[in-house]
Structure formats: structure tokens, C-alpha cells
Amino acid sequence: MSEQITLSLDDIRTLSESILLSNGFNQAHASAITDIIYTNQIGDCHSHGLYRLFMCVESIRSGRVDGTAAPTIIDAAPAVVRANANDGVSLLAMQAAMPLLIEKAKINGIAALAINRCFHFSALWPEVEKLSEAGLAGMAMLPSHAWVAPAGGRRGLLGTNPFAFSWPRQGKSPFTFDFATSQFARGEIELYRRAGKALPEGVAIDKEGQPTTNAEAAMDGAMLTFGGHKGSALSLMIELMAGPLIDDLTSKESMDFAEGKPEAPYHGEIILAFDPNLLSGGRALENNDRAERLFADVIDQGARLPSQRRQAAQAYNLARQAVEIPKTLYDDLLALKQT
């Protein structure tokens, strides 16, 4: 097992912000990015925690990410918000637009946020949980780069195309899931590569289109969708919903835009918010009880709700005010700081 080091929760924020600020992000962007990195790290979501700072730094060093861009928030219609990130990382635009999205959902029952012209690297579950914290159900989806082959295909065309959902629960942590429509998230493949570990079968193909368990070959080839043609169809839906529907790029267009540079994908994101009170005719409390019976029936069978493990890790790490990360990762992160 690799040597581990312990970081306090304050250390996570300090390390992340110092790396981002030293590489050209302003305080607003550094804070918004760090909030998400911190949230993932304390939930033991390692592939989207401190590790994601490498993509942030690569992206701004490529010269395309604007680390000081102020997002433009547009009240586009009674139930529509548009946020132009103006070539910045998506998180500041999301943070700025979220209050208006919540307000519109509570007036209309449903509302949509389109985030455009953004670089994106982060997990979606913290975003939809902002909606469940406000008493709303939420969904989010976006493309990425063309790293994933469609079912029956032999080369990358689709993104990892994550999809997230969160449901508010009275007095309890929300029911939340967030998964890529590929078998693995791209960050997980990279973690396997860094650790020198073999991938499971059925996750990827090499550049010749042949199945591979070699993470390096997978990075040069293509990933596969989960569930064969079903995951492939969901991935195509996400390409459409977060691409042409909101006037933004598909995963292949995003990859072409990058011109081979190691930067975060450039595209759009769609977030949908639903008000359980308006949509149920004012019977949100009664229907919360019905939802809780559904969750209880899952647990009664010995099954686990999505996000239970992450929420338990979060509670544990918050109680001890610390996390562990590999020393090699910590050393590589320190090397990102610009002097």
C-alpha cells in the first residue's frame, strides 16, 4: 500500500486555493472550485477531489481558460435561466445562477438552468444537492470529451456524460446519485493508471478497438458505456440535452476544440429543478412519507441507497477533521504551485 499522509480539512482548502491562485485563477474562481474539491474530498470521492487540481492547472496553462472571467447571468424566461461562463470554469457560473434557478422553480414548479461556454471538470452531485438543500428535486447532465465509444463502435464519440439526481428528505441527507454513462469516470481510469493497476474487464478498448484491461491503452483507445446499448442511448440523450438543446458543444466538438491540449472539456451543462410542493398540489409532506417508505423498503432488503457510503465517509471525516491521501499525490500537488 502506498504511503499516506494526513491533511486537516483546513489543509484541503489552503492547498487547493494556493495552487489555483498561484496559477492565475482569481479569488472568486479559486473559492468556487475549492468548495467543490473540498466537498468531494471529505466524501472520499478521490477521483473528483484534490486530484482534479491537475486538470484545472493544465486547463489554465493551456491559455484557454479565463481564470478571472465573470459569468453573465440572464433571466431568459419565467422558468429559464441562462449563465454564460465566458470561458471560465463552470462552477462560478453555477454558483451565481443557482439562487435564481431555485426562485423560479418555487414559482413555476419546474425551472431550467443552461450554463454555456464553460470548462468543466467536477462531479455533479454537489450541484444537485444545492437544490435538495432548498427543498427541490434536481437533475444535472453534461457532455465531456469524445473518450467513449457507442455500443458496437470502435472509437471515441461520446463523452463520459455524467447524470446526477437529488431528492430532498425531511431531516435526513438527500437521496442522491451521480454516475457517468461510461463504465468508469475518466478520472478513475487515470487513478488506475497512476497506481499501475489493471482495469476490470469490459471497461475499455485499445486504439485498435480490442478489449483491454491496461489503463494506459485505455487512455489511448476508448472507454465503454455501462449497460451496452442502454447506456449508449442515455449518453446520446445527454449529448442532445446539454448540447444542441442549449446551443452548446457535443463531446466530439469539445474534443476538436481542445486541439489535443490537456485541458478540461469545453461545453455546456443543463440543470433542472422541480418543486415537490407545487407539482404535488401542496402535498409535499404526505408524499415525503411515501418516499421514505420506499427508501426504507430498499434498506430492509439489505440493500444500500446510492450515496450512503459517501455520506458516511463525509460524516466520519468531518468528525475527525482530517483525510488521508497518498504522499505521491501530495508531492505532485505541491509541484503545481507557481512561485
Side-chain angles (χ1 to χ4, degrees):
M1 184 175 177
S2 62
E3 181 183 355
Q4 302 283 301
I5 68 162
T6 300
L7 296 179
S8 73
L9 301 192
D10 285 342
D11 289 340
I12 297 172
R13 289 192 179 277
T14 300
L15 179 62
S16 176
E17 285 203 4
S18 63
I19 289 170
L20 294 167
L21 290 169
S22 71
N23 279 279
F25 289 98
N26 65 13
Q27 185 61 58
H29 276 285
S31 295
I33 294 168
T34 293
D35 282 348
I36 297 297
I37 285 175
Y38 172 89
T39 301
N40 278 277
Q41 194 66 53
I42 65 172
D44 286 352
C45 302
H46 299 290
S47 64
H48 288 78
L50 289 166
Y51 165 71
R52 287 287 157 150
L53 288 167
F54 294 108
M55 181 173 280
C56 287
V57 170
E58 286 172 344
S59 297
I60 197 165
R61 288 180 182 177
S62 76
R64 304 234 230 180
V65 170
D66 186 343
T68 63
T72 304
I73 310 302
I74 303 166
D75 186 341
V80 178
V81 185
R82 296 184 62 85
N84 188 335
N86 293 315
D87 295 345
V89 171
S90 64
L91 296 173
L92 187 59
M94 180 276 297
Q95 187 182 81
M98 191 62 74
L100 185 55
L101 175 66
I102 291 169
E103 177 186 330
K104 286 179 176 293
K106 289 187 174 182
I107 292 171
N108 297 291
I110 183 170
L113 165 61
I115 304 175
N116 295 108
R117 316 299 180 255
C118 66
F119 289 86
H120 191 278
F121 73 89
S122 55
L124 293 178
W125 66 264
E127 302 184 12
V128 290
E129 285 200 350
K130 289 181 184 296
L131 296 173
S132 55
E133 288 167 6
L136 304 173
M139 295 167 57
M141 64 194 84
L142 48 78
S144 57
H145 274 344
W147 290 315
V148 182
R154 299 175 60 84
R155 63 181 183 275
L157 174 67
L158 308 172
T160 53
N161 292 9
F163 178 92
F165 172 81
S166 191
W167 174 270
R169 301 175 69 187
Q170 297 291 325
K172 297 181 180 180
S173 298
F175 168 84
T176 305
F177 64 79
D178 177 2
F179 54 74
T181 48
S182 55
Q183 286 273 21
F184 270 28
R186 183 73 171 181
E188 289 178 288
I189 301 278
E190 173 61 17
L191 289 177
Y192 270 75
R193 187 191 69 78
R194 289 174 66 87
K197 293 169 56 180
L199 296 169
E201 299 280 351
V203 167
I205 54 178
D206 63 21
K207 62 184 179 182
E208 306 301 326
Q210 298 302 308
T212 184
T213 59
N214 183 289
E216 194 76 51
M219 300 289 276
D220 292 334
M223 300 158 67
L224 299 175
T225 60
F226 75 83
H229 67 280
K230 295 180 181 179
S232 186
L234 282 173
S235 189
L236 280 164
M237 178 197 76
I238 291 167
E239 293 281 345
L240 297 170
M241 290 286 288
L245 180 68
I246 63 169
D247 186 35
D248 221 305
L249 303 184
T250 64
S251 295
K252 187 169 189 308
E253 290 167 339
S254 173
M255 183 167 272
D256 290 343
F257 177 84
E259 298 179 329
K261 294 182 179 180
E263 62 191 24
Y266 180 72
H267 49 65
E269 174 182 358
I270 187 167
I271 303 176
L272 304 173
F274 309 87
D275 185 347
N277 194 53
L278 281 177
L279 290 171
S280 68
R283 295 176 56 83
L285 288 177
E286 296 94 323
N287 285 290
N288 175 73
D289 292 340
R290 297 175 62 233
E292 287 302 317
R293 287 197 294 274
L294 181 63
F295 298 143
D297 283 345
V298 171
I299 295 169
D300 185 59
Q301 296 185 37
R304 178 172 55 86
L305 293 175
S307 72
Q308 271 189 298
R309 182 179 300 164
R310 187 250 309 159
Q311 289 164 354
Q314 186 176 28
Y316 174 72
N317 289 329
L318 284 171
R320 67 193 183 115
Q321 289 288 293
V323 297
E324 280 81 37
I325 66 170
K327 185 177 184 303
T328 53
L329 173 61
Y330 181 68
D331 291 341
D332 288 345
L333 288 168
L334 290 181
L336 292 177
K337 286 190 182 182
Q338 299 274 48
T339 56

